[in-house]
Amino acid sequence: MAPTNTTELLEALASEIGENVYLDIAKWHLYLSNAKMHTILAEQLYPLITSKTVNEDRVLQLLASIPVKIGGGRKEIPLIDLLPLQCQVTLVDILEKYQREI
């Protein structure tokens, strides 16, 4: 059964993103839930779902616009540069699923 309100939808989306999408750093997989990035990402992606405009290009654009601080904040790297291609595909698949369900 699909979540019925915005809060439930965001929580479910964030949870699914957090469990299935990870940062790949020196072959270490840091899932977005552990990196505390899943909720922020879900909130930024939510408008694509509600406007039914989810597509790979838009998702990749958004990922490129999210800075990830490393080295205690000394540097920032776009989130897209830390996600392996398979995770990018997985993320788009998750978003398309949610878009179909609402």
Side-chain angles (χ1 to χ4, degrees):
M1 183 168 153
T4 56
N5 67 40
T6 302
T7 303
E8 288 176 358
L9 179 67
L10 274 172
E11 287 174 359
L13 178 61
S15 177
E16 193 160 348
I17 289 170
E19 292 173 5
N20 293 293
V21 180
Y22 57 84
L23 307 174
D24 187 339
I25 303 169
K27 299 193 184 202
W28 285 73
H29 294 175
L30 177 61
Y31 283 84
L32 294 188
S33 60
N34 294 329
K36 309 290 188 233
M37 296 183 69
H38 60 301
T39 302
I40 294 165
L41 187 57
E43 289 169 352
Q44 293 194 22
L45 292 165
Y46 181 74
L48 295 180
I49 294 170
T50 57
S51 64
K52 301 218 182 257
T53 57
V54 171
N55 67 50
E56 185 177 3
D57 290 338
R58 287 186 149 204
V59 173
L60 297 181
Q61 248 180 346
L62 190 123
L63 293 174
S65 73
I66 299 173
V68 178
K69 293 182 181 194
I70 61 168
R74 289 184 291 164
K75 292 196 181 227
E76 290 184 351
I77 297 176
L79 179 56
I80 194 167
D81 291 345
L82 298 170
L83 296 180
L85 184 57
Q86 184 56 48
C87 284
Q88 294 172 25
V89 170
T90 299
L91 179 60
V92 172
D93 290 345
I94 291 168
L95 297 173
E96 288 174 341
K97 179 183 85 168
Y98 274 80
Q99 182 175 257
R100 282 189 305 272
E101 291 177 0
I102 63 165

